[in-house]
Each structure stands twice: as structure tokens, then as C-alpha cells.
Amino acid sequence: ARPVIAIVGRPNVGKSTIFNRIIGDRLAIVEDKPGITRDRIYGTGEWSGRSFSVIDTGGIEIDGEDGMLRLVRMQAELAIEEADLIVFMADAKSGVTNADEEVAQILFRSGKPVVVAVNKVDNLQRMDDIYEFYSLGFGDPIALSGSHGIGIGDLLEACVDRL
Ligand code: GDP
Ligand code: MG
């Protein structure tokens, strides 16, 4: 079976945009379960001759609860269950948030390999914004711009290295 990469992060950081850039048209399955709706969108990606499954966990919603923190915590736990490697996505515009720090702790405790991806680095002036993401404790953050398609190769290189 292919190794599994899950993309986790707060709403609106750009997970689905990056997911689509990674998979192109290789969309696989859309699951929808009643109760706790844990929509997961699966696709496949390839880099350096390796193929892997990718999960966009962004569709997870919790009935009767609307706490964003609870939502991302659920996402993180689901990703830990299912994935061999987790792409933890944040956003250069908002910087490191409390929710990011909380999710980082959950991911850290799992012992799974984590690659930090900082999206919305739309131009070179914003490159300095990624340094604060070292504080999450997962090594070199990867700068991305989903809008401009920048950094996808760097991200996949970092992932494949650690699968
Ligand atoms: P998700 O909720 O994490 O899946 O995020 P989406 O992929 O749905 O993106 C949320 C919003 O951010 C959308 O309006 C995107 O167009 C925007 N967005 C995604 N990537 C970028 C980026 O690299 N730069 C900027 N400026 N906006 C982006
Ligand atoms: Mg999404």
C-alpha cells in the first residue's frame, strides 16, 4: 500500500488549495459519515518516482460544536490515526496562532513525522515571516504559495525524504 500523507491545519490556511496542487486530477474517494461528519478527501500524488496517498482533512465538522480549536484537534487526531506523515499547514499572514501551538503539541506527542508548511508566502518580502514557525519544534518550515504554485516541489521533497 502507498504511504499516506495527511494535511492538517486551521480553516482557511490553504489546505485544499495545496491538496489540489499536489494531486492534480488524481482524486480518489470522498467519504461522508453521519453523526460526526469526518469528510476526508483522498487523492494520490507522486514525487521523485514515489507515489503516496494524500488526505485533505479540512472537511471535518463536529455536529453541535462550533469550536475551531476542537475542530483542528479532531483533524490532528484523525491524521495521526491514518497517516504515515503529517503536513502541518499554517499561514504566513496570521503567523503562529494559539490553535497552531495546541495542534503542534498533539502532533508532537504522536511521534509521527511532521513537516511544517507555511502557506500564503506570496512574494519574497514575506520569506522572513516563516522564521517564527521554527518555534513549533518540527524543524525547517517550508514556504508555500498555493495561489502562485510556489514551493510544492520543496514540500514534496521534504515529505518523501521522511516517508
Ligand atoms: P482550507 O480551509 O485550509 O482548505 O483553505 P483553502 O484552500 O480553502 O483556502 C482558503 C482561502 O485562502 C481561499 O480564499 C484561497 O483562495 C486562499 N489561499 C490559498 N492559498 C493561498 C496563497 O498562497 N496565498 C493567498 N494570498 N491566499 C491563498
Ligand atoms: Mg479545505
Side-chain angles (χ1 to χ4, degrees):
R2 292 189 184 91
V4 176
I5 298 173
I7 306 174
V8 165
R10 287 180 296 107
N12 279 315
V13 295
K15 296 180 299 298
S16 298
T17 304
I18 298 298
F19 172 82
N20 286 322
R21 292 248 180 213
I22 294 171
I23 67 158
D25 58 4
R26 293 171 298 237
L27 191 65
I29 311 164
V30 178
E31 272 191 26
D32 187 358
K33 292 179 180 172
I36 293 171
T37 308
R38 311 207 301 182
D39 294 355
R40 282 158 292 177
I41 302 174
Y42 292 78
T44 56
E46 280 176 10
W47 188 256
S48 289
R50 309 227 7 222
S51 68
F52 42 81
S53 296
V54 194
I55 309 176
D56 181 0
T57 59
I60 298 165
E61 274 162 28
I62 301 159
D63 291 354
E65 289 270 354
D66 59 347
M68 196 268 290
L69 205 53
R70 200 170 137 82
L71 183 114
V72 279
R73 242 188 242 132
M74 276 287 289
Q75 269 185 21
E77 276 152 18
L78 182 65
I80 290 163
E81 238 172 74
E82 295 200 8
D84 299 298
L85 180 145
I86 295 159
V87 170
F88 178 22
M89 192 164 300
D91 161 352
K93 289 188 176 177
S94 40
V96 177
T97 67
N98 291 337
D100 290 337
E101 282 170 350
E102 173 124 3
V103 173
Q105 281 183 27
I106 296 169
L107 297 178
F108 193 82
R109 282 197 294 269
S110 78
K112 294 256 164 126
V114 173
V115 173
V116 174
V118 183
N119 193 34
K120 307 193 185 181
V121 182
D122 294 334
N123 57 61
L124 287 173
Q125 280 82 358
R126 286 206 164 270
M127 274 306 281
D128 287 350
D129 295 348
I130 75 169
Y131 293 111
E132 68 174 288
F133 291 89
Y134 275 99
S135 71
L136 294 173
F138 298 109
D140 294 341
I142 310 289
L144 300 176
S145 172
S147 308
H148 296 90
I150 294 168
I152 309 296
D154 294 338
L155 173 64
L156 296 181
E157 189 75 36
C159 290
V160 163
D161 270 359
R162 294 165 70 179
L163 276 175

